[in-house]
Amino acid sequence: GSTPGPSSQPYPACCLAWAVTKAIPSRQLRALHNEVAQLAQLVGAETIEFGASHGVLSTSRNAGGDSTKASKDVENESTSESDAMVRLGQLISRWASEEEPEVTVRIGVHIGEIEWIILPTPPPPGQVKGYFGSAVTTAKYLAETAPKENCVHLLRSTKETLKALESISFHMVMSHGSPPTIKSYYLEPWEQAREQAREDGAIDPKAPGLQKELSLQIRNEVAPKIFKQNFKDLTLEEFAYFLESYGVSTAKFGRGQAKPLESFYNELASEKRSYLFENKAEGTLERKVEIVRVSLVAGNIDEGTDYCLMVAYEIMQDGRPRFRNQKLAVVVPDGVGWQEAVRNKFQRTFKLSKEVFEQSLKVEGSFFKEERMISPSIPGLMTTYRTHEIRLRVQDIMTDGLQAIGLPYFTPFATDTPKDAGVSGGPHESWAWAAVGGVSTDKAESLHKLLAEYKIRESEFEAGAFDALLEEVYDTRISTLMVRNKELTRNLQIIKVWVYADIHSVPHCLVHVSKTQRGKCDSRAKNRPISARMPQDKDWKAALYDTMHTRLGVPPEDWSKQFELDEGTYRQCEEVEYSRSYPGLKSVYRIHEVTCRVSHTLVQLGLPDGHDFAFSRQENDGSLVITNYAWKPLKDIAGRNSAMGFKKGLLDDSEGVEEAEQYDPKRRLPVPPKLQAKQQVGLQRSWTKALGSSSCMVGDLMAGRNADWARAKNAAKRIRDQDYNLKMFTDDCVAAFPELALYMGVTAAGGEPSTLSSGRSADDEYQRTMGALYAVYWLMRWDTDGPQSFSFGVDDNWNPLTAESERPRRDKAEVKKRSVFLEQVDWSLFAQVLVAAGLLTTTENDGDDGTTRYSHDEERTLAMLALTAIHDIMKVEQLCPVVDGWIGAFSGYKPGEVITDHDVALGYVLENLPDALPSYAGLPQTQRDSVKFTQCNMEYNMGWLVQAEAPPGALFTKFRQIIRAGKADPRDVAFYFTHWITDLAGAEPCPQEGAEKFVLKFPRSVLTMFLNSFEFVQYLSTKSETQVFEDYLDWRWKIVQPSLGNAPAGSGSVAQQRITVMAQGSCQTWLDAYGALDGQLRDVLATEFALTGAPGQSYSKDPCTCSGPAFLVYYAPALLQKNSSEAGGALGVLATVLRQARDLWPLEAGSAGETVTVFVDALKELTVQAMQITEPGEVWAVVKNGAKSAQVKKVILSTMQQDGLAWSNVRLLSFQGLAQAPRPMFQDEVAIKGLVPLGEAVVPVAQDVQQTSAVVCSMCWAPTWMCANR
């Protein structure tokens, strides 16, 4: 036999395995290898195995297994090898995600043992090593089984070795056992790995020499004050310079476990829980903490039982009660012995004289411990901890003077502690005697011992933190204490809810803005979803309902009527944090994360327009919490901005961020005074009831008030004049339309303020109405100065602002956004809508230069101004009318009921009580009809049209019915859309700043499509729903570049047109993929997309049988756009979903006018290959959840019955074979010369990995172990 070659002994290492999962061009493959090499050098890693599309890296070690210098540079007390490799995997994932087209990789990281041997390769021999061992093999296995692409997959054993990345959020991969257990973790590419930023005004020296000199000067001045604990007149800045003079970096305060500098200052100055002294031998500043825990025991002679004095609760300085059940604690000030400190405590708090104390209380036992170390909460200062545990016994409970402490009858009592008594807490404390060994004392003692055993110092806790921990562990059971990896941890569960809604066809998410409690505003949770702690024993769904109730006011019984839960998005993740309230005690948060979608328009949540709103709730302690929420486009809170790139380092940027420049606040207009409600005597109008109380308060308020038609007509006449500026227009509108005062609400007879259904303030609604009027003014001047003001707003002199304007001071990014909007928007599209609405008129080629001349229709313009002034007045709830009996039911409201929908309420007044509103009553009848038409509920979703997402029946039927019932013409439809545009443009309550809703917050491409679509919708008055939709599809086909040729005809033509619109790009690729589809799948798409959902209608070019229901696949455009590089697979998924949905809703002639909505939001963010990956026993399914709705989600076959799913409402899906099957990741088609890929040898996998596999039945798509066909 041959002589064995050199080899190594097993040594510990951390390995990363990566593999490309989908074929990519050679250009990208080379770029990937270059990126991996650069990143490996950055974190001190070396490649130990590689092929064309895979590789394995390890922390750099020499032949003996010792770390090399590069590896040591990364590994230190704050970072570990596993930090470096996990971060390396995350950076690779980020790079891959940013590529165009996206590169998909799977990454596994594992820490374990590794060995190498010299491989018998061709000459020169002895130079190629082959690596093996658990670290290598398990890393590969984790890459192979990663739950998704472009993430880092690892086991708990590796996660627990992290240091720098310990607190980053990891998602958990759960087993399907009962109960489910954690199998592994994965890290998303854009989770932030950053050091916690400072939260106080710490001094961070920029010029060391100058600052040091200044610090030494201040040290000499303030040192005597600090060492004598005389903090009077000492500022926080002086204190910071004092610390800097001893080399204590204040920049480290407020990060990680470290207290904010201000908290440390208060600890010394007001709480007096510690003190500072100078170690003269070493010339350093040190801190001392000395406390005494006192067990004051008295015997009950009658019972033969000992009782211990406990603090039952205290009233804090802000009035809050805090329950404690804790023994007496005394802080020992500098220069005072512990005996004297205890005696002083009893004298000052309990009013016991020195004589009574010494005669009646005897020390029965004591214990003392002293330790010296750096505190995690006070960085840079050596701290000496001196702890005394003493037991005092009352000698005779009958002694005169002990009545002050509730003796001899052990009665509860209260004390008022002076603020300078040397003890933290509130000024008012309630005391009680508890039996020794009782529940309350046992709990506190157990917690004291547990914390001490794991070297967690209560003396470092914030005031009241121990009591809060005791309460949450033993009483409310919000948290549990567990030992993990020989470390005590505090474990909590959090429910996190992402609430989605489509606002003007743009996906938005509801996020926190700020929270106000006890007069303090906290914005640390900005842009985060709704979340709350949940009890350890509560199911996540029950916690979801409770959280939506307490955070948004949605009753649990109404939840399912207003929201749709997407259970397919449910996942768990884990975050680790060191709380500043409990220094040294690690908090582990298990987060239950899920998405739900608003299914009905909820005005109280700022819908349908996505307004900001606030919600208030009362906490258990009686404090009021006001939370401000905002709707933000999903793309803005996705956690990253690819245009900005990312930092290639162990942590993301958190330092070096310059202080934010101060920008000017958004300006608001002065508001009119509130109107006074008054009793109308002797009026015999249609809105006055027989009893004298009004069924329409707006009629009472406007009685005797008239519109100033001279000013109104002047505004309508001069709106396009160059010498008629916005200030003149404002003055005319405010003087002309008396209804504008209604937005400020009314003062009712009882003096109570009015409320608004929108959840906004009255001032906000007035500002928004003025913003809508300004949008009319600017758009009517689209060919002069209108676009400039629309984009930038006006200055304080009412002149248009520009990008160069010095005031108001604005963020540079905001100014750039405004400039881009001004330059890139096609303003003629606005003009086309205004022309179609009859507001603008044109004269073709009438000028010397041959250009089109624009003028305007004054009467039509007047109607638009009047409509804009009155359109939202019914948001003031006191103004909402009551349906009169002589009118009968109106839009679903019965006689005697208050009309709470503000649009319906205004429509009721315009229809039945037109004289109540002067600005409407004085319009010509034709213009009144146009205004009245705008208040109809059209049930129109513009996004469904611009993305061809819905069939024409769902899109237009209600809209067309209203048009035909009111005999509206195309001008009225365009008038409605003009009002929609100007209303939305003015949605932000700062009218002088421009149309910020469109300019800063609305996707420009969506706006352009909306404007283009108006041309087609206006013809609903003369064409059928299907004809209008077909015209739109033909136009979209015609404008595609490069040209697609003539529009298709025949079977499948509508499917091809809708697919190209949904895909939003690479149209020819999608058409080719459609043609290459399996014949059955292609027929499904052709048939389903040709159904109209409108009875008796079919497409002229692709006629179909008039049956139904038709399907609206909600989020189908997003699904296709996500899979642009796998077009055939994406179309196959869509066809598979439609085929199984049709099995739930068979075609019937009587259902031709119906549409069923199938939600596929669980698929829209997944690649087709990712859809093919499921756990054993888990399958995708279409689940019927209503008479006209279904949802695609994953179901667990073994728990379907427990989950309330009946087989009759479920159709299983299989996406296998719709995308190229992934080949073995670590076997390349083309190996790189000189290396032999691993894969032939079987190497044991790490013990904490459980390998599973599933075989699926080709008939029912169930795992074979459950299949009846096996």
Side-chain angles (χ1 to χ4, degrees):
S2 60
T3 303
S7 62
S8 72
Q9 294 298 316
Y11 60 89
C14 188
C15 287
L16 177 149
W18 64 268
V20 177
T21 62
K22 197 158 49 178
I24 58 175
S26 59
R27 168 190 60 81
Q28 282 189 309
L29 202 54
R30 283 192 295 269
L32 172 60
H33 277 278
N34 289 335
E35 188 71 19
V36 171
Q38 292 176 19
L39 294 174
Q41 186 177 8
L42 177 71
V43 302
E46 65 174 349
T47 299
I48 61 175
E49 175 188 332
F50 66 94
S53 60
H54 81 271
V56 180
L57 298 96
S58 170
T59 44
S60 301
R61 293 176 179 269
N62 58 28
D66 297 324
S67 298
T68 64
K69 182 180 184 304
S71 183
K72 285 180 178 177
D73 288 342
V74 172
E75 186 173 18
N76 53 54
E77 63 178 20
S78 62
T79 61
S80 65
E81 289 184 344
S82 50
D83 281 316
M85 300 308 275
V86 169
R87 179 59 168 173
L88 172 60
Q90 189 184 37
L91 293 177
I92 293 172
S93 297
R94 287 187 181 181
W95 178 91
S97 300
E98 293 281 65
E99 281 291 285
E100 185 59 44
E102 181 182 29
V103 175
T104 56
V105 294
R106 292 181 183 263
I107 297 171
V109 173
H110 188 68
I111 192 165
E113 288 192 334
I114 192 172
E115 300 178 61
W116 56 260
I117 60 174
I118 296 296
L119 299 176
T121 58
Q127 294 186 6
V128 178
K129 294 178 181 178
Y131 290 82
F132 61 98
S134 64
V136 177
T137 311
T138 306
K140 287 183 174 183
Y141 173 77
L142 288 167
E144 291 270 9
T145 58
K148 58 187 298 187
E149 291 154 334
N150 293 344
C151 73
V152 185
H153 194 201
L154 64 157
L155 300 174
R156 179 187 287 276
S157 57
T158 302
K159 182 178 180 295
E160 289 179 343
T161 64
L162 297 174
K163 295 179 181 178
L165 303 184
E166 180 183 40
S167 60
I168 200 170
S169 178
F170 285 87
H171 295 286
M172 297 186 288
V173 181
M174 307 297 294
S175 71
H176 290 311
S178 182
T181 57
I182 303 173
K183 292 174 58 179
S184 57
Y185 297 84
Y186 67 93
L187 176 64
E188 298 273 16
W190 299 104
E191 286 292 346
Q192 292 293 298
R194 66 171 72 246
E195 184 178 352
Q196 191 168 348
R198 287 156 44 209
E199 293 183 5
D200 64 86
I203 305 299
D204 197 4
K206 306 298 182 192
L210 176 63
Q211 298 286 20
K212 184 175 182 181
E213 182 179 339
L214 181 59
S215 297
L216 290 172
Q217 178 184 347
I218 292 180
R219 181 207 287 192
N220 295 331
E221 295 175 2
V222 306
K225 295 182 180 180
I226 290 178
F227 293 147
K228 293 181 181 180
Q229 289 196 291
N230 178 15
F231 286 83
K232 186 178 180 181
D233 302 327
L234 183 67
T235 66
L236 179 62
E237 186 177 22
E238 288 175 329
F239 177 63
Y241 279 118
F242 171 77
L243 295 179
E244 292 283 352
S245 72
Y246 280 98
V248 179
S249 173
T250 56
K252 294 182 179 179
F253 284 84
R255 290 180 175 173
Q257 299 184 65
K259 293 181 178 181
L261 185 63
E262 186 175 3
S263 296
F264 181 38
Y265 175 83
N266 291 334
E267 174 189 303
L268 297 166
S270 57
E271 298 172 1
K272 299 186 185 301
R273 296 169 58 199
S274 65
Y275 56 90
L276 300 178
F277 66 95
E278 186 178 33
N279 185 330
K280 296 187 178 180
E282 299 182 9
T284 58
L285 187 66
E286 297 194 8
R287 169 175 170 258
K288 183 177 287 187
V289 179
E290 187 169 6
I291 61 171
V292 184
R293 298 194 181 279
V294 182
S295 297
L296 179 60
V297 179
N300 187 320
I301 300 173
D302 296 334
E303 299 178 2
T305 304
D306 279 347
Y307 282 80
C308 182
L309 185 63
M310 309 283 287
V311 183
Y313 67 88
E314 64 184 353
I315 305 297
M316 305 298 291
Q317 294 184 12
D318 59 6
R320 289 180 295 125
R322 188 175 74 195
F323 297 93
R324 297 188 60 182
N325 289 324
Q326 191 173 352
K327 294 178 183 177
L328 177 63
V330 183
V331 175
V332 182
D334 185 24
V336 177
W338 70 264
Q339 298 92 338
E340 184 180 355
V342 173
R343 186 167 57 248
N344 291 341
K345 166 68 178 177
F346 274 77
Q347 182 177 350
R348 301 183 67 177
T349 301
F350 301 127
K351 304 298 187 291
L352 286 187
S353 66
K354 180 179 179 181
E355 293 74 19
V356 172
F357 178 86
E358 292 179 346
Q359 292 174 10
S360 304
L361 308 181
K362 299 297 181 184
V363 177
E364 204 171 55
S366 65
F367 167 79
F368 170 72
K369 179 172 64 174
E370 180 174 312
E371 293 178 286
R372 189 167 178 266
M373 62 183 63
I374 295 287
S375 164
S377 62
I378 309 295
L381 279 176
M382 185 64 69
T383 299
T384 300
Y385 297 94
R386 297 170 59 88
T387 306
H388 305 263
E389 295 275 355
I390 68 168
R391 182 183 176 94
L392 289 178
R393 178 171 289 278
V394 179
Q395 298 299 300
D396 183 359
I397 62 174
M398 304 302 295
T399 301
D400 188 34
L402 294 182
Q403 294 87 347
I405 56 174
L407 297 177
Y409 302 112
F410 300 93
T411 56
F413 63 96
T415 60
D416 290 301
T417 305
K419 293 183 180 180
D420 59 347
V423 12
S424 61
H428 183 86
E429 294 173 308
S430 179
W431 303 80
W433 291 90
V436 174
V439 176
S440 61
T441 57
D442 281 353
K443 289 177 181 178
E445 285 300 317
S446 298
L447 186 55
H448 283 308
K449 291 178 181 178
L450 186 63
L451 296 175
E453 180 182 353
Y454 288 93
K455 302 187 183 305
I456 296 168
R457 309 194 173 283
E458 299 170 41
S459 56
E460 296 289 358
F461 284 12
E462 290 184 353
F466 178 86
D467 308 317
L469 183 63
L470 185 69
E471 181 181 1
E472 73 176 35
V473 171
Y474 291 105
D475 297 334
T476 61
R477 300 187 183 277
I478 289 293
S479 71
T480 58
L481 297 178
M482 299 175 60
V483 177
R484 298 175 62 174
N485 201 25
K486 299 181 180 180
E487 183 178 16
L488 186 67
T489 61
R490 169 175 168 257
N491 297 264
L492 302 97
Q493 293 200 81
I494 304 292
I495 181 71
K496 182 186 290 186
V497 188
W498 295 93
V499 180
Y500 289 174
D502 280 348
I503 299 173
H504 305 302
S505 302
V506 179
H508 281 65
C509 180
L510 185 63
V511 295
H512 278 273
V513 176
S514 64
K515 179 178 73 173
T516 303
Q517 187 175 16
R518 303 186 191 97
K520 295 182 178 180
C521 183
D522 183 358
S523 58
R524 287 176 295 178
K526 187 174 183 179
N527 291 336
R528 295 183 185 175
I530 297 168
S531 60
R533 293 182 184 180
M534 53 184 283
Q536 297 290 321
D537 57 352
K538 179 163 283 190
D539 173 74
W540 70 266
K541 285 186 181 179
L544 164 68
Y545 301 142
D546 288 348
T547 299
M548 296 292 281
H549 185 210
T550 58
R551 296 298 190 267
L552 294 178
V554 180
E557 60 272 16
D558 294 340
W559 195 92
S560 60
K561 302 174 186 175
Q562 299 169 340
F563 295 88
E564 292 179 354
L565 178 64
D566 184 359
E567 294 191 40
T569 63
Y570 172 73
R571 59 182 179 177
Q572 297 184 51
C573 60
E574 186 174 276
E575 294 181 7
V576 177
E577 181 182 285
Y578 285 93
S579 169
R580 291 177 188 163
S581 298
Y582 312 106
L585 181 60
K586 183 189 296 183
S587 296
V588 180
Y589 296 92
R590 176 174 287 195
I591 300 172
H592 303 262
E593 190 172 359
V594 73
T595 296
C596 65
R597 182 176 50 253
V598 180
S599 56
H600 287 77
T601 298
L602 298 176
V603 176
Q604 66 268 33
L605 299 189
L607 297 174
D609 293 327
H611 303 315
D612 299 351
F613 66 95
F615 180 78
S616 60
R617 69 179 191 274
Q618 194 167 31
E619 295 283 56
N620 293 332
D621 60 8
S623 62
L624 184 67
V625 180
I626 300 175
T627 307
N628 293 294
Y629 295 99
W631 290 98
K632 292 204 169 181
L634 206 54
K635 64 180 183 61
D636 291 347
I637 58 169
R640 64 183 176 101
N641 184 348
S642 58
M644 299 299 293
F646 55 89
K647 179 182 175 183
K648 295 182 180 180
L650 190 59
L651 296 175
D652 292 305
D653 278 317
S654 63
E655 300 183 27
V657 179
E658 297 181 2
E659 185 177 353
E661 185 181 345
Q662 295 298 313
Y663 303 119
D664 290 332
K666 302 295 185 181
R667 295 163 296 161
R668 301 169 79 94
L669 297 171
V671 297
K674 291 183 180 180
L675 295 173
Q676 298 293 321
K678 54 188 177 181
Q679 183 72 31
Q680 299 294 320
V681 181
L683 289 175
Q684 299 296 324
R685 298 198 181 187
S686 60
W687 58 79
T688 304
K689 288 186 175 180
L691 295 177
S693 61
S694 173
S695 63
C696 180
M697 182 179 283
V698 70
D700 291 340
L701 291 168
M702 290 290 102
R705 295 180 172 92
N706 297 306
D708 189 333
W709 289 108
R711 299 290 294 270
K713 291 178 179 178
N714 187 61
K717 179 180 180 179
R718 300 194 60 199
I719 194 168
R720 286 178 47 82
D721 290 355
Q722 291 301 302
D723 59 347
Y724 185 69
N725 65 23
L726 187 62
K727 177 64 168 64
M728 299 175 184
F729 176 77
T730 303
D731 292 342
D732 279 341
C733 288
V734 172
F737 305 119
E739 294 89 350
L740 287 173
L742 294 171
Y743 288 101
M744 295 310 299
V746 297
T747 302
E752 295 184 1
S754 59
T755 55
L756 284 86
S757 60
S758 64
R760 286 181 169 270
S761 68
D763 182 24
D764 276 357
E765 291 299 346
Y766 175 77
Q767 303 292 338
R768 295 175 68 249
T769 300
M770 294 304 297
L773 284 167
Y774 287 6
V776 175
Y777 172 87
W778 289 326
L779 291 180
M780 290 292 288
R781 304 164 70 96
W782 77 274
D783 51 344
T784 55
D785 60 355
Q788 186 72 42
S789 299
F790 191 97
S791 304
F792 282 92
V794 295
D795 63 19
D796 292 339
N797 295 318
W798 303 90
N799 298 314
L801 289 165
T802 68
E804 291 73 34
S805 298
E806 295 182 0
R807 294 287 176 152
R809 290 173 297 181
R810 288 168 168 167
D811 180 22
K812 292 179 180 178
E814 178 186 318
V815 173
K816 183 177 180 180
K817 254 188 171 182
R818 292 176 184 271
S819 298
V820 170
F821 185 90
L822 174 63
E823 295 166 4
Q824 296 188 4
V825 163
D826 185 351
W827 293 94
S828 66
L829 294 177
F830 287 107
Q832 290 174 18
V833 178
L834 297 178
V835 169
L839 291 160
L840 289 178
T841 58
T842 61
T843 304
E844 299 291 341
N845 303 323
D846 192 35
D848 296 335
D849 55 0
T851 59
T852 300
R853 298 294 184 183
Y854 287 86
S855 57
H856 71 287
D857 185 319
E858 294 178 20
E859 187 178 283
R860 195 75 165 159
T861 303
L862 181 62
M864 179 58 69
L865 296 180
L867 167 62
T868 306
I870 68 174
H871 78 288
D872 273 344
I873 57 173
M874 293 301 173
K875 287 182 178 178
V876 181
E877 293 180 338
Q878 282 83 348
L879 301 182
C880 290
V882 176
V883 179
D884 271 327
W886 63 270
I887 294 175
F890 185 86
S891 294
Y893 290 91
K894 298 176 183 178
E897 290 183 342
V898 177
I899 303 177
T900 55
D901 184 295
H902 72 276
D903 287 323
V904 177
L906 181 60
Y908 173 88
V909 173
L910 299 183
E911 179 72 31
N912 300 293
L913 312 170
D915 293 340
L917 298 172
S919 300
Y920 174 75
L923 293 174
Q925 185 60 49
T926 55
Q927 304 306 331
R928 285 168 57 164
D929 290 342
S930 295
V931 170
K932 191 164 57 177
F933 172 74
T934 65
Q935 296 309 299
C936 299
N937 182 11
M938 312 293 182
E939 295 183 5
Y940 173 58
N941 186 320
M942 205 172 300
W944 289 353
L945 173 63
V946 299
Q947 296 191 100
E949 191 170 4
L955 260 174
F956 296 132
T957 296
K958 182 65 181 293
F959 201 163
R960 186 167 180 265
Q961 286 173 353
I962 292 172
I963 291 173
R964 294 176 69 84
K967 297 187 174 73
D969 60 28
R971 289 203 332 157
D972 290 331
V973 178
F975 191 82
Y976 161 79
F977 281 126
T978 302
H979 172 59
W980 181 87
I981 292 170
T982 55
D983 184 32
L984 187 58
E988 297 301 313
C990 43
Q992 289 170 284
E993 306 295 335
E996 290 197 341
K997 186 72 171 182
F998 278 151
V999 177
L1000 301 180
K1001 299 185 176 182
F1002 208 82
R1004 203 162 49 254
S1005 59
V1006 176
L1007 174 61
T1008 301
M1009 284 299 176
F1010 281 1
L1011 293 173
N1012 277 311
S1013 70
F1014 295 152
E1015 178 184 351
F1016 299 91
V1017 180
Q1018 63 182 321
Y1019 290 108
L1020 281 172
S1021 60
T1022 57
K1023 293 184 177 182
S1024 72
E1025 297 93 325
T1026 303
Q1027 287 173 327
V1028 170
F1029 190 51
E1030 195 166 11
D1031 288 346
Y1032 180 76
L1033 291 177
D1034 288 343
W1035 173 75
R1036 289 294 299 270
W1037 183 277
K1038 183 178 179 180
I1039 65 171
V1040 170
Q1041 293 296 328
S1043 174
L1044 298 175
N1046 295 328
S1051 177
S1053 60
V1054 173
Q1056 294 177 68
Q1057 288 185 298
R1058 289 183 64 183
I1059 287 168
T1060 58
V1061 175
M1062 287 183 185
Q1064 302 285 319
S1066 304
C1067 295
Q1068 191 59 56
T1069 300
W1070 287 97
L1071 293 174
D1072 294 342
Y1074 175 83
L1077 270 181
D1078 171 82
Q1080 291 184 348
L1081 294 179
R1082 188 171 61 249
D1083 290 344
V1084 169
L1085 292 178
T1087 300
E1088 299 298 345
F1089 278 178
L1091 296 176
T1092 66
Q1097 297 182 26
S1098 64
Y1099 295 97
S1100 62
K1101 69 186 67 168
D1102 192 356
C1104 65
T1105 56
C1106 291
S1107 55
F1111 289 121
L1112 190 169
V1113 184
Y1114 215 108
Y1115 292 119
L1119 187 155
L1120 298 188
Q1121 292 160 29
K1122 173 67 178 179
N1123 289 276
S1124 58
S1125 61
E1126 193 66 63
L1131 294 178
V1133 168
L1134 193 55
T1136 301
V1137 170
L1138 287 167
R1139 179 163 58 184
Q1140 296 296 63
R1142 180 56 65 200
D1143 200 42
L1144 288 170
W1145 281 276
L1147 284 170
E1148 295 179 358
S1151 301
E1154 298 176 359
T1155 299
V1156 169
T1157 303
V1158 180
F1159 294 94
V1160 295
D1161 36 347
L1163 301 175
K1164 66 185 176 69
E1165 295 297 330
L1166 299 179
T1167 63
V1168 178
Q1169 285 193 349
M1171 297 174 199
Q1172 297 173 349
I1173 300 172
T1174 55
E1175 294 290 331
E1178 181 183 68
V1179 294
W1180 288 101
V1182 179
V1183 179
K1184 184 177 182 179
N1185 55 14
K1188 293 184 180 181
S1189 67
Q1191 187 172 23
V1192 173
K1193 62 181 182 179
K1194 286 181 179 178
V1195 298
I1196 301 171
L1197 296 174
S1198 60
T1199 63
M1200 279 181 55
Q1201 187 173 0
Q1202 297 94 301
D1203 296 337
L1205 299 178
W1207 275 109
S1208 59
N1209 292 330
V1210 176
R1211 295 295 183 271
L1212 302 183
L1213 301 168
S1214 173
F1215 302 138
Q1216 304 301 321
L1218 297 180
Q1220 182 179 358
R1223 54 181 168 73
M1225 292 185 183
F1226 295 95
Q1227 294 181 7
D1228 281 311
E1229 297 172 1
V1230 180
I1232 296 180
K1233 184 177 181 180
L1235 289 182
V1236 178
L1238 283 178
E1240 292 80 7
V1242 178
V1243 185
V1245 178
Q1247 292 182 358
D1248 51 353
V1249 176
Q1250 180 182 1
Q1251 297 193 52
T1252 58
S1253 61
V1255 179
V1256 180
C1257 171
S1258 60
M1259 297 176 64
C1260 68
W1261 307 113
T1264 53
W1265 60 272
M1266 289 192 65
C1267 175
N1269 301 311
R1270 65 183 183 276

